[in-house]
Amino acid sequence: QVQLVESGGGLVQAGGSLRLSCAASGRAFSTYAMGWFRQAPGKERELVASISWSGDSSYYADSAKGRFTISRDNAKNTVWLQMNSLKPEDTANYYCAAGRYTLRGFNNNRPDYWGQGTQVTVSS
């Protein structure tokens, strides 16, 4: 069982930055691929970025490439999403997720665990 708790969301102006954190419980954190999803009102939840269990591989949606960076520290049971050059279209509820998959498997299957979400609002 893994519990995920996100933090770091908030209101920011366009062009600004935010760093989301996801703290995980459980000793098996290092065996899970991790990812950040987001869901805007009226839209489907979408994968933004993911990272392999070891941290040596990552994936970014086209909308996140060049602006967002996902990272993890298995010793701290934490994964982060650094978001720079934020745009109003980045406004959404952001969810941390964990799945016992390879990175490719994580990107193509439903995660095993979800956090409760943290709201990110980017004003123009």
Side-chain angles (χ1 to χ4, degrees):
Q1 188 79 6
V2 175
Q3 291 185 327
L4 305 172
V5 179
E6 302 97 333
S7 61
L11 174 64
V12 64
Q13 289 188 332
S17 298
L18 282 175
R19 190 190 196 201
L20 305 183
S21 298
C22 174
S25 66
R27 292 180 292 176
F29 175 77
S30 62
T31 66
Y32 286 84
M34 302 292 297
W36 288 94
F37 291 75
R38 68 185 182 188
Q39 187 167 20
K43 295 188 177 181
E44 293 187 355
R45 190 172 296 190
E46 62 175 353
L47 176 63
V48 175
S50 57
I51 190 167
S52 62
W53 64 268
S54 64
D56 62 356
S57 299
S58 58
Y59 161 86
Y60 296 93
D62 288 343
S63 59
K65 287 179 181 176
R67 299 188 300 126
F68 294 2
T69 302
I70 189 170
S71 59
R72 67 187 295 164
D73 185 334
N74 288 342
K76 296 181 179 179
N77 280 18
T78 303
V79 62
W80 296 274
L81 185 68
Q82 177 68 43
M83 303 187 296
N84 299 328
S85 302
L86 283 162
K87 305 174 182 179
E89 52 263 44
D90 294 317
T91 295
N93 205 3
Y94 283 70
Y95 298 88
C96 177
R100 192 165 269 173
Y101 301 110
T102 62
L103 185 61
R104 177 175 293 182
F106 182 90
N107 294 345
N108 290 282
N109 290 279
R110 179 175 175 81
D112 299 316
Y113 302 100
W114 294 91
Q116 83 289 349
T118 186
Q119 179 66 36
V120 171
T121 302
V122 184
S123 63
S124 57

